[in-house]
């Protein structure tokens, strides 16, 4: 297994940032064609998946390059008062990886997944850049952030102090960060990313996931939703990883065009 820890300068962010990259065994100098961008949660960083799961084992077994970027507490957004994290993740980072690691992007073999805040980020990336990703997967994702922000505006109680930097002092929630809006746009496309959503039935974000699942069903997106006993823990997310790889392999790579099925 090849493992690289990198420090790179990002024009979109305006500073040096870190990322972790895994290459399957024997592929460090002749890259596999399957790439997974794996996103961290609110309280983690780009090393979390390496330290707390068997991602190296799953990546090697399934022959994936796994790219784990650093985004702080940005909610994978181009911030109103801060850096352009969505631009970095979906545009600049892939270009850097293509140049530095000789990766050749192909939409049908490019995937994005994440947990909690990273689950939100993964669905936002997939639906916001349907031209770039074949599929996206959310594990215990914060999938209804607009409702949460509306609650902050109504009550004045803000559990996320970074929201003012992300959205601006008026907390105006943009359409391009509203997963419900993005799903409505993506479902009309002839080719759209496939979507996997998982959540534990004891997770504090379960209601977010149920609302988004109901919306996806209502618009007939053709997604996959799975729920089983579990909470907002690494034990649950460990179980999500092989499920996601099986989803990519069975549902996406067997459908080379990336069409929803």
């Amino acid at each position: 297994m090849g493992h690289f820890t990198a420090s790179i300068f990002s024009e979109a962010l305006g500073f040096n940032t870190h990322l972790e990259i895994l290459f399957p065994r024997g592929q460090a100098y002749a890259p596999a064609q399957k790439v997974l961008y794996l996103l961290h949660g609110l309280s983690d960083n780009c090393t979390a998946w390496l330290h707390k799961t068997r991602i190296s084992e799953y990546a090697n077994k399934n022959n994936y390059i796994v790219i784990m970027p650093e985004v702080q507490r940005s909610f994978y957004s181009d911030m109103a008062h801060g850096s352009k994290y969505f631009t970095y993740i979906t545009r600049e980072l892939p270009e850097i990886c293509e140049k530095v690691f000789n990766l050749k992007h192909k939409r049908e073999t490019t995937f994005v997944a994440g947990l909690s805040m990273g689950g939100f980020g993964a669905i936002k990336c997939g639906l916001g850049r349907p031209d770039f990703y074949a599929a996206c997967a959310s594990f215990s994702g914060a999938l209804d952030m607009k409702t949460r922000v509306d609650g902050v505006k109504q009550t004045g109680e803000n559990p996320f102090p970074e929201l003012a930097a992300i959205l601006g002092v008026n907390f105006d929630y943009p359409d391009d960060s509203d997963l419900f809006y993005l799903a409505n746009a993506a479902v009309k496309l002839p080719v759209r990313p496939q979507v996997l959503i998982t959540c534990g039935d004891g997770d504090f974000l379960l209601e977010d996931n149920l609302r988004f699942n109901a919306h996806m069903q209502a618009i007939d997106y053709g997604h996959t939703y799975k729920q089983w006993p579990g909470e907002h823990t690494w034990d649950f997310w460990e179980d999500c990883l092989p499920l996601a790889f099986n989803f990519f392999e069975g549902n996406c790579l067997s459908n080379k065009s990336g069409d929803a099925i």
Side-chain angles (χ1 to χ4, degrees):
M1 193 79 200
H3 173 207
F4 294 85
T5 297
S7 176
I8 59 173
F9 181 81
S10 164
E11 295 288 347
L13 302 182
F15 52 78
N16 280 302
T17 186
H18 288 85
L19 65 150
E20 304 285 338
I21 302 182
L22 296 174
F23 285 90
R25 187 177 297 117
Q27 295 292 328
Y29 301 104
Q33 295 301 306
K34 297 180 290 187
V35 178
L36 170 63
Y37 291 85
L38 190 57
L39 310 183
H40 68 76
L42 188 68
S43 61
D44 294 315
N45 61 21
C46 63
T47 68
W49 286 105
L50 287 171
H51 295 324
K52 297 179 180 180
T53 72
R54 293 181 291 164
I55 182 58
S56 297
E57 175 185 329
Y58 301 130
N60 195 61
K61 177 181 178 181
N62 293 283
N63 202 35
Y64 276 70
I65 296 167
V66 180
I67 300 171
M68 292 161 280
E70 181 83 57
V71 304
Q72 310 298 322
R73 294 168 64 93
S74 67
F75 278 88
Y76 298 87
S77 299
D78 285 354
M79 302 171 71
H81 306 290
S83 298
K84 297 184 181 299
Y85 280 95
F86 185 75
T87 297
Y88 167 66
I89 293 294
T90 62
R91 296 187 183 276
E92 186 182 21
L93 178 60
E95 292 177 0
I96 292 173
C97 289
E98 285 192 27
K99 293 177 182 177
V100 175
F101 295 99
N102 195 31
L103 304 187
K104 306 301 181 185
H105 173 259
K106 294 182 179 179
R107 178 190 179 274
E108 62 266 27
T109 54
T110 301
F111 310 97
V112 58
L115 67 88
S116 196
M117 179 187 77
F120 166 84
I123 303 300
K124 178 180 176 179
C125 288
L127 298 182
R129 285 293 313 275
D131 60 309
F132 193 82
Y133 305 95
C136 50
S138 167
F139 315 143
S140 309
L143 302 185
D144 192 4
M145 285 302 299
K146 186 176 186 302
T147 294
R148 292 179 177 273
V149 171
D150 288 345
V152 170
K153 293 167 71 173
Q154 292 171 5
T155 66
E157 298 178 2
N158 181 14
F160 306 113
E162 54 277 338
L163 283 181
I166 295 171
L167 301 175
V169 294
N170 294 324
F171 295 95
D172 295 325
Y173 202 83
D175 289 341
D176 61 10
S177 285
D178 181 358
L179 303 188
F180 293 74
Y181 176 91
L182 293 175
N184 288 343
V187 75
K188 300 174 184 177
L189 300 175
V191 177
R192 60 184 183 269
Q194 296 191 46
V195 176
L196 170 66
I197 301 167
T198 69
C199 194
D201 59 14
D203 196 298
F204 77 96
L205 289 175
L206 178 61
E207 290 302 318
D208 281 45
N209 283 263
L210 292 175
R211 284 194 294 271
F212 189 65
N213 177 51
H215 181 76
M216 295 287 273
Q217 290 177 328
I219 64 175
D220 196 24
Y221 188 96
H223 71 301
T224 297
Y225 178 83
K226 292 186 178 295
Q227 179 182 319
W228 64 89
E231 300 182 358
H232 209 74
T233 66
W234 283 101
D235 286 339
F236 182 84
W237 302 322
E238 176 76 50
D239 291 339
C240 291
L241 282 173
L243 180 67
F245 280 111
N246 288 338
F247 179 79
F248 298 150
E249 291 291 303
N251 289 0
C252 305
L253 291 173
S254 61
N255 180 38
K256 297 299 184 181
S257 69
D259 297 341
I261 59 175

